Amino acid sequence: MVKKSKSKKIPSQDKKAIKVTFFLFLLFAVGAGIFLYLNRNQEQKIEASKSKVEAFSHKPIKAVVIPVKQKKSFPQKISPVTGGKIAFIIDDWGYKMSNCHFLKEIKAPLAVSIMPNLRHSNDIMKCANIYDKDIMLHLPMEPWHNLDPYPENYLITTVMPHATIEKLMDDTFKKMPLITGVNNHMGSKATEDRNLMKFVMKKIKKQGLFFVDSMTALHHSICGQVADDINIPFARRDVFLDNINTKEAIEMQLVELVQKARHQGYAIAIGHDRQLTMQILLEEIPLLQKQGFQIVHVKDLLRKKD
């Protein structure tokens, strides 16, 4: 008969030690697992960041465009058209001599309209004659509204006796023997008065001169009708160049002048004795000529009954 061996009991103290060891092992295993998980997750984040950086470094950088306020554009200086005759009259000469050199530099025909009895009226007449420019009388006439001071009997008015007008004009013609024509300085009221303009134009015709209406009385001038009645060589202004004295405004008026010359076949422009106006004409007239426009004498654009 086999005798069963008696199992050996583990002391309670050893059991406790085993439990502690097992618990510590388990705790270590869990900690190691958490560490490995966190470490792996961190590596994945680093790799993802590297990928983003690498991708960004190869991606072209888009320039940042800061919007800039655009400068107001103006029409092209000269329209690309050909044909048409243009005459220029420059008013208000006689106050100064500073722009006389432009009469030498501008090689095209140009009419210089001179105010009478000013400090440099005679000097400008001589300058214009030397450089072969047309010389006109810029005849002062009564406007509807005037804030500028003028000497007594300087403006021809609607209430002035004809004898006074005749003497005033005769004296002016003697002082300015080189003039070939006349246009009105101001005169919005005077050029609406038929009796006055008939008397004035008869005096002008008697001198063998022509008359250009500056069109200061734009819709009510009777100068054209009177010119036809007495058969005097006549023309009227189409464009004022420099009522607004800026480069942009004058260039816009030149565009209008070109359009009118193209449409009518001719156009007359009036400007003033100002440095800016003269400088722009010096620059623009050659461009007009290159594009087929003829810069002509005012007398070439006059009308007269046969």
Side-chain angles (χ1 to χ4, degrees), residues 194-233:
R194 180 178 294 274
N195 290 330
L196 172 62
M197 292 312 302
K198 188 172 184 179
F199 183 82
V200 169
M201 284 198 191
K202 282 184 176 180
K203 290 292 297 181
I204 293 171
K205 180 181 179 181
K206 189 175 180 180
Q207 286 295 123
L209 307 174
F210 61 82
F211 184 81
V212 175
D213 187 355
S214 300
M215 297 299 290
T216 55
L218 185 61
H219 301 294
H220 304 287
S221 173
I222 50 78
C223 293
Q225 298 172 21
V226 173
D228 287 344
D229 290 343
I230 67 172
N231 196 24
I232 181 176

Side-chain angles (χ1 to χ4, degrees), residues 125-265:
M125 184 170 59
K126 292 177 181 178
C127 177
N129 186 52
I130 289 171
Y131 298 120
D132 199 27
K133 298 298 185 278
D134 297 329
I135 302 169
M136 296 176 61
L137 166 63
H138 199 33
L139 185 62
M141 306 189 81
E142 183 183 12
W144 282 108
H145 304 285
N146 173 47
L147 299 177
D148 298 326
Y150 289 96
E152 185 179 1
N153 291 340
Y154 190 75
L155 301 177
I156 293 177
T157 70
T158 56
V159 296
M160 185 177 282
H162 283 185
T164 304
I165 297 174
E166 184 169 29
K167 183 179 186 309
L168 189 155
M169 294 183 70
D170 285 343
D171 289 346
T172 300
F173 292 148
K174 289 177 182 178
K175 292 176 183 178
M176 304 177 70
L178 300 180
I179 61 175
T180 57
V182 178
N183 73 317
N184 53 294
H185 169 67
M186 303 193 302
S188 55
K189 184 176 182 180
T191 55
E192 293 182 10
D193 190 300
R194 180 178 294 274
N195 290 330
L196 172 62
M197 292 312 302
K198 188 172 184 179
F199 183 82
V200 169
M201 284 198 191
K202 282 184 176 180
K203 290 292 297 181
I204 293 171
K205 180 181 179 181
K206 189 175 180 180
Q207 286 295 123
L209 307 174
F210 61 82
F211 184 81
V212 175
D213 187 355
S214 300
M215 297 299 290
T216 55
L218 185 61
H219 301 294
H220 304 287
S221 173
I222 50 78
C223 293
Q225 298 172 21
V226 173
D228 287 344
D229 290 343
I230 67 172
N231 196 24
I232 181 176
F234 173 81
R236 60 168 53 94
R237 182 269 309 167
D238 293 289
V239 174
F240 269 129
L241 294 177
D242 52 6
N243 278 347
I244 301 175
N245 190 31
T246 66
K247 186 174 188 295
E248 292 82 3
I250 295 171
E251 288 177 350
M252 289 179 71
Q253 291 302 98
L254 280 171
V255 172
E256 181 179 347
L257 178 67
V258 163
Q259 292 170 346
K260 288 197 173 186
R262 181 187 183 190
H263 176 71
Q264 299 177 159

Side-chain angles (χ1 to χ4, degrees), residues 7-24:
S7 59
K8 195 174 182 180
K9 286 187 177 182
I10 301 174
S12 59
Q13 189 174 359
D14 292 340
K15 286 182 178 180
K16 188 175 182 180
I18 292 171
K19 288 181 179 180
V20 171
T21 302
F22 178 76
F23 177 75
L24 291 175

Side-chain angles (χ1 to χ4, degrees), residues 66-84:
I66 301 173
V68 178
K69 187 177 181 181
Q70 294 294 321
K71 183 180 179 182
K72 185 179 179 181
S73 60
F74 292 89
Q76 187 179 1
K77 290 184 180 180
I78 301 299
S79 302
V81 296
T82 58

Side-chain angles (χ1 to χ4, degrees), residues 36 153 184 275 301:
L36 291 173
N153 291 340
N184 53 294
Q275 182 177 355
L301 302 182

